[in-house]
């Protein structure tokens, strides 16, 4: 999304009675945010409900891994000290053949996380993942346009994205995890427990279609194109001009009923000629045109609890095939974005709270591309 594009995880569980006694799960100081989205204003029914199928601990042990983590037999150290731990999600979605993302943060100098997976009956794995935070940690390289995933604009001492990966043995269903952070001194934060819903691809049929980007809205006001520049004319006056003169500026999202998805960007434009504009005191653009034409292929899923999520599996540069990419384990693009059909338009939105506590709602609005 133009605004959303401008503007893919860590656990701990007790596996014995002694360990249960040692861990005091205190989440009173954790602030989380859960987005709940109606499929449409006139249809409150969840079109992709969870069938509450529990994924077994044996399947979890063999099918779930954590990027940049070491799997350790036994139970992790118990919470100690007062390490700050903040997580920006409640129970959330996981994605077939992909996994899920966890954004964690701390105001302390944390150096890693412990993660233990468990089934919905609290049966925990006999091992845990030790995730070490490092500037050299491998993250997924992406040609994709950026999307803001953080819910707040607060700057933390440490902010980390943890990537949990699924193999194809993980199917639709639910499981859970516990997570905590630790620092170099060995202090361990409180434990946070969350559960994952892995849904089938597809969902709300009202979202199906080819959608053409139309406009952005911020806090209810249409956002004007501010990509402008000031040209000082040779005659002493000045003019305000658009930096790019667009012949084509298309952004199309296509959602297919079976869960397939494509997203296409096609831009053709000319860049402002400052010298020519200064001489004529009118907007003059370079004769040479610049073109970009990119397309992404993947899957989408929608549930009432988690909203719209999209996972990319390949990228094509339609002007230069040498830049094409594939993402064998998927790459999360939209991770639970609010999606509604309002007056026949597709409205994708998210809310960001800045460090002053002010709330900003960003909407990208699409119309049916007939």
């Amino acid at each position: 999304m133009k605004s959303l594009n401008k503007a893919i995880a860590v656990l701990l569980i007790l596996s014995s009675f002694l360990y249960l006694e040692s861990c005091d799960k205190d989440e009173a100081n954790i602030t989380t945010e859960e987005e709940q989205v109606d499929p449409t204003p006139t249809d409150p029914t969840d079109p992709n409900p969870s069938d509450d199928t529990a994924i077994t601990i044996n399947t979890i042990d063999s099918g779930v891994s954590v990027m940049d983590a070491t799997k350790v037999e036994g139970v992790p150290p118990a919470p100690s000290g007062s390490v700050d731990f903040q997580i920006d999600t409640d129970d959330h979605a996981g994605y077939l053949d992909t996994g899920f993302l966890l954004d964690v943060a701390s105001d302390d100098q944390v150096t890693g996380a412990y993660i233990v997976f468990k089934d919905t009956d609290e049966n925990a794995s006999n091992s845990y993942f030790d995730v070490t935070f490092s500037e050299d940690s491998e993250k997924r390289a992406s040609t994709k346009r950026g999307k803001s995933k953080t819910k707040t604009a607060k700057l933390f001492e440490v902010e980390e994205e943890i990537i949990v990966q699924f193999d194809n043995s993980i199917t639709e269903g639910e499981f859970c995890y516990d997570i905590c952070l630790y620092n170099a001194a060995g202090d361990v934060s409180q434990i946070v427990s969350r559960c994952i819903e892995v849904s089938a691809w597809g969902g709300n049929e009202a979202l199906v279609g080819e959608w053409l980007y139309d406009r952005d809205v911020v806090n209810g006001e249409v956002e004007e194109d501010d990509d402008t520049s000031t040209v000082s004319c040779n005659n002493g006056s000045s003019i305000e001009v658009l930096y790019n003169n667009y012949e084509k500026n298309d952004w199309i999202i296509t959602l297919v009923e079976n869960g397939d998805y494509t997203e296409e960007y096609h831009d053709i434009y000319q860049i402002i000629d400052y010298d020519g504009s200064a001489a004529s005191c009118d907007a003059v653009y370079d004769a040479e045109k610049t073109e970009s034409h990119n397309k992404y292929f993947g899957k989408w899923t929608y549930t009432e609890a988690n909203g719209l999520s999209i996972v990319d599996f390949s990228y094509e540069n339609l002007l230069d095939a040498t830049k094409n990419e594939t993402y064998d384990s998927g790459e999360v693009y939209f991770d639970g974005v609010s999606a509604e059909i309002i007056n026949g338009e597709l409205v994708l939105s998210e809310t960001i709270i800045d460090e002053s506590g002010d709330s900003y709602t960003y909407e990208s609005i699409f119309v049916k591309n007939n």
Side-chain angles (χ1 to χ4, degrees):
M1 304 178 309
K2 304 243 173 164
S3 285
L4 296 179
N5 291 339
K6 290 176 186 174
I8 179 180
V10 257
L11 323 171
L12 192 63
I13 181 72
L14 315 172
S15 64
S16 69
F17 179 73
L18 291 176
Y19 185 57
L20 278 165
E21 283 188 331
S22 69
C23 296
D24 179 17
K25 299 184 182 180
D26 180 8
E27 299 184 26
N29 296 323
I30 300 173
T31 300
T32 63
E33 177 181 309
E34 181 175 19
E35 296 178 343
Q36 298 229 347
V37 182
D38 291 331
T40 72
T42 58
D43 180 11
T45 304
D46 186 353
N48 196 0
S50 169
D51 57 7
D52 295 326
T53 301
I55 300 176
T56 66
I57 190 62
N58 288 337
T59 301
I60 297 166
D61 274 339
S62 62
V64 179
S65 60
V66 181
M67 184 178 287
D68 296 323
T70 302
K71 193 171 186 178
V72 183
E73 293 298 317
V75 297
S80 61
S82 56
V83 179
D84 177 66
F85 179 18
Q86 302 183 47
I87 185 170
D88 77 341
T89 184
D90 292 329
D91 291 353
H92 54 101
Y95 308 112
L96 294 170
D97 300 316
T98 302
F100 61 91
L101 305 179
L102 273 178
D103 291 325
V104 298
S106 177
D107 283 326
D108 296 326
Q109 284 284 0
V110 295
T111 57
Y114 297 129
I115 303 170
V116 177
F117 294 101
K118 58 186 180 180
D119 64 23
T120 54
D121 291 325
E122 296 289 320
N123 297 306
S125 173
N126 292 322
S127 59
Y128 65 95
F129 286 93
D130 184 351
V131 186
T132 301
F133 300 152
S134 168
E135 293 181 0
D136 298 326
S137 293
E138 180 184 353
K139 302 298 180 183
R140 300 184 193 207
S142 175
T143 310
K144 196 151 186 79
R145 54 274 174 241
K147 170 188 173 289
S148 171
K149 293 183 289 295
T150 57
K151 301 300 179 186
T152 70
K154 181 178 179 181
L155 298 178
F156 295 97
E157 186 72 22
V158 177
E159 293 180 279
E160 293 288 339
E161 179 180 79
I162 300 173
I163 300 174
V164 178
Q165 298 175 305
F166 297 165
D167 69 15
N168 58 14
S169 68
I170 302 299
T171 57
E172 296 100 292
E174 293 183 277
F175 68 94
C176 304
Y177 63 87
D178 287 351
I179 178 175
C180 60
L181 305 183
Y182 62 83
N183 61 22
D187 299 317
V188 180
S189 76
Q190 80 284 348
I191 301 170
V192 177
S193 298
R194 295 289 185 265
C195 290
I196 296 293
E197 177 186 349
V198 184
S199 300
W201 297 121
N204 188 352
E205 293 184 5
L207 305 180
V208 171
E210 184 175 279
W211 299 96
L212 174 66
Y213 168 79
D214 185 70
R215 64 194 184 277
D216 284 332
V217 175
V218 181
N219 285 351
E221 299 291 332
V222 176
E223 188 177 46
E224 301 297 333
D225 188 348
D226 59 357
D227 187 14
T228 60
S229 181
T230 300
V231 173
S232 298
C233 300
N234 294 346
N235 63 12
S237 61
S238 64
I239 56 172
E240 196 78 7
V241 298
L242 288 174
Y243 183 73
N244 294 322
N245 179 36
Y246 279 93
E247 176 181 318
K248 179 183 284 289
N249 186 19
D250 290 346
W251 173 26
I252 299 172
I253 292 178
T254 302
L255 304 176
V256 185
E257 188 174 356
N258 67 0
D260 288 343
Y261 134 91
T262 62
E263 183 175 30
E264 183 173 1
Y265 294 90
H266 193 185
D267 297 332
I268 302 175
Y269 57 93
Q270 297 162 294
I271 299 174
I272 192 70
D273 177 353
Y274 282 100
D275 291 338
S277 299
S280 65
C281 210
D282 196 8
V284 176
Y285 292 88
D286 291 340
E288 182 180 352
K289 295 179 180 180
T290 299
E291 182 176 10
S292 62
H293 197 178
N294 304 307
K295 197 167 186 178
Y296 299 85
F297 302 82
K299 293 285 189 177
W300 69 278
T301 182
Y302 177 94
T303 64
E304 182 178 1
N306 298 314
L308 173 68
S309 298
I310 291 175
V311 178
D312 291 320
F313 286 97
S314 65
Y315 157 79
E316 288 187 8
N317 185 314
L318 299 178
L319 302 178
D320 184 356
T322 64
K323 296 181 179 179
N324 293 354
E325 297 180 354
T326 59
Y327 316 118
D328 293 335
S329 59
E331 184 173 287
V332 179
Y333 174 34
F334 289 165
D335 193 11
V337 172
S338 173
E340 297 177 281
I341 303 299
I342 301 176
N343 297 325
E345 297 179 320
L346 172 62
V347 180
L348 305 181
S349 64
E350 67 178 359
T351 298
I352 294 176
I353 303 172
D354 68 16
E355 55 191 355
S356 300
D358 295 326
S359 176
Y360 297 88
T361 299
Y362 294 88
E363 299 174 323
S364 286
I365 299 175
F366 298 74
V367 297
K368 271 288 179 72
N369 192 33
N370 299 320

